[in-house]
Structure formats: structure tokens, C-alpha cells
Amino acid sequence: MIFRQLFDIDSSSYTYLLADETSREAVLIDPVLANTEQYLRLLTELGLTLKMAMDTHTHADHITALGKLREQTGCITMIGEQAGSSCATGSFGDGQRIAVGSLVFKTLHTPGHTDDSYSFYLEQGNQSYLFSGDTLLIRGTGRTDFQNGDAYQQYKSLSNLMQLPDTTWVYPAHDYKGWMVSTIAEEIQHNPRLQVSTADEYKQIMDNLNLPNPRLMDIAVPANRACGNADQAI
Ligand code: FE
């Protein structure tokens, strides 16, 4: 498997490029519009064909590259069915299998940060990978105070993710502190938000974060509902 982790400095977002080494077919997870040229360059340099671009959820802090990538490469674009996106090529529900070459991602509906939040689970030989979106961050979890966020749902989603194999690599959609990758075992042990014993306790933590709204929220959410067409935000 070919695997690259890319970082957007402006929004502290991670984008993941994964490809089947044999067929050279690739997928991008959570691509950022401003970095489209970089993705196209990397695909060319590695000799890959972009087959699919998919988002873990409707982002509030950056504009998605899904629409632009489809326009430029003819790739399929996918987002969770709860996003209600009419411009994406297709949507997925819980427990579906999405194949790109020999790579098969299992979709896990993990609502809480948003109602359209998904995590993608991939097995490669003995190793598994979780692309956890904003549901499970490294030593943190995604906020639950807008876009139909719900701390109780997130607690349940996180409990489900904690059932995955301990050695699963965890690759989140963001990091603000320099973390790049973790494992399920590491997060169970060291993630402060997971050291609670009840959903009510979790809700209490999430209710007291007092975070400011993302800078781009009013632009990004409407634009992302239109697959990254920023004109829709005006
Ligand atoms: Fe988010």
C-alpha cells in the first residue's frame, strides 16, 4: 500500500492519500481545496490515478477539494448519506465497504461531532488503520456544539471505536499540537476525554469547552454542502 499523510497549515487538517501499489489506483480522504495542486502533483509524481475522494464529514473549518478534484480528474466523490449532499457522486451509510483497487474501507457511522461523521477502517494484512475524522482525535475528541453535534452520540461512537483492535493506527482529521498518529490502545489509556465512566460525565466535559466558532465556519459549511463551491457561500 502507498500511504501519505498531508497537512494543511491554515486549518491544521490532515489529508490522507492511499493507493493500491499494483493497480496504482488512489483515494484521498478529507482533501482541502487550497491544496488541490499539491495533491495533483503528488499523484503524478507517484504515478497514481485518483479514483475517489471522500470526506469524513461536512467540515466547518476548511473548504473541501471534492468538487475540484472530480472536475480535474474525473474521480468519484463520496460523503455520508446524512450530509444530504446533492452534488457528490455518491454517499455511504454505516457498515458499507468502499473499494479502491485492493484497498477496502469499512465505513463506520460515528455521529456526535456532526450527525454525518464517519470513520473509515482499513485492514492490510495484520495491521489495521482507522481514519477517525473529528470523532477521535489524538488525546482529544471533536467538539459537539454545532452542526447537529451531540455529546451523548459521540460517547457511544467513541465506545464503539474503542472495540477495534488495540494496535489499530489512529489517523485523525486534525491535530493542533503536533501529534501525527496514535493507536487505539494509546488513546484508551491516555486520551483525557476517554477517562470517564458515564455518558453524562462525558457530556459535562464537552459542555464546558467554551470554544470559539471556527474562523471559516460561515463560509465553509455552505460551500462544503455544495462540494466545495465557495460561490454558494455568498
Ligand atoms: Fe469537523
Side-chain angles (χ1 to χ4, degrees), residues 8-12 60-61 143 212-220:
D8 178 62
I9 298 164
D10 265 1
S11 62
S12 298
D61 54 4
R143 63 194 296 174
N213 278 346
R215 193 165 40 92
L216 282 179
M217 185 168 166
D218 295 341
I219 297 170

Side-chain angles (χ1 to χ4, degrees), residues 27-196:
V27 56
L28 277 164
I29 298 175
D30 288 331
V32 176
L33 180 62
N35 304 334
T36 304
E37 289 308 316
Q38 186 192 18
Y39 306 140
L40 296 175
R41 174 184 168 176
L42 186 57
L43 288 160
T44 305
E45 288 175 350
L46 299 179
L48 303 174
T49 306
L50 187 67
K51 285 286 165 187
M52 190 182 295
M54 56 186 182
D55 276 345
T56 50
H57 62 289
T58 304
H59 296 283
D61 54 4
H62 66 263
I63 298 177
T64 179
L66 255 57
K68 189 74 175 175
L69 285 167
R70 184 170 68 175
E71 192 185 297
Q72 302 264 315
T73 69
C75 72
I76 288 169
T77 59
M78 301 279 279
I79 191 161
E81 60 193 13
Q82 291 77 5
S85 172
S86 54
C87 55
T89 314
S91 61
F92 42 76
D94 184 43
Q96 276 178 238
R97 284 175 197 282
I98 296 179
V100 176
S102 63
L103 308 181
V104 182
F105 297 86
K106 187 178 178 195
T107 60
L108 307 173
H109 186 215
T110 48
H113 170 61
T114 62
D115 57 354
D116 64 357
S117 285
Y118 278 79
S119 301
F120 305 129
Y121 184 68
L122 172 71
E123 285 175 327
Q124 282 288 291
N126 293 330
Q127 185 58 56
S128 48
Y129 300 76
L130 180 72
F131 299 93
S132 56
D134 288 357
T135 302
L136 176 60
L137 304 176
I138 301 175
R139 310 297 191 266
T141 57
R143 63 194 296 174
T144 55
D145 57 336
F146 55 66
Q147 284 183 282
N148 301 320
D150 183 320
Y152 287 119
Q153 280 188 2
Q154 194 173 48
Y155 180 79
K156 190 163 180 282
S157 296
L158 289 164
S159 307
N160 291 339
L161 294 181
M162 293 309 113
Q163 306 302 314
L164 294 171
D166 274 1
T167 53
T168 303
W169 291 119
V170 174
Y171 285 100
H174 291 289
D175 193 84
Y176 307 94
K177 295 178 179 168
W179 301 106
M180 294 178 76
V181 62
S182 184
T183 64
I184 291 291
E186 206 177 304
E187 291 310 305
I188 288 174
Q189 216 182 338
H190 301 294
N191 189 320
R193 305 242 176 111
L194 303 179
Q195 311 308 311
V196 293

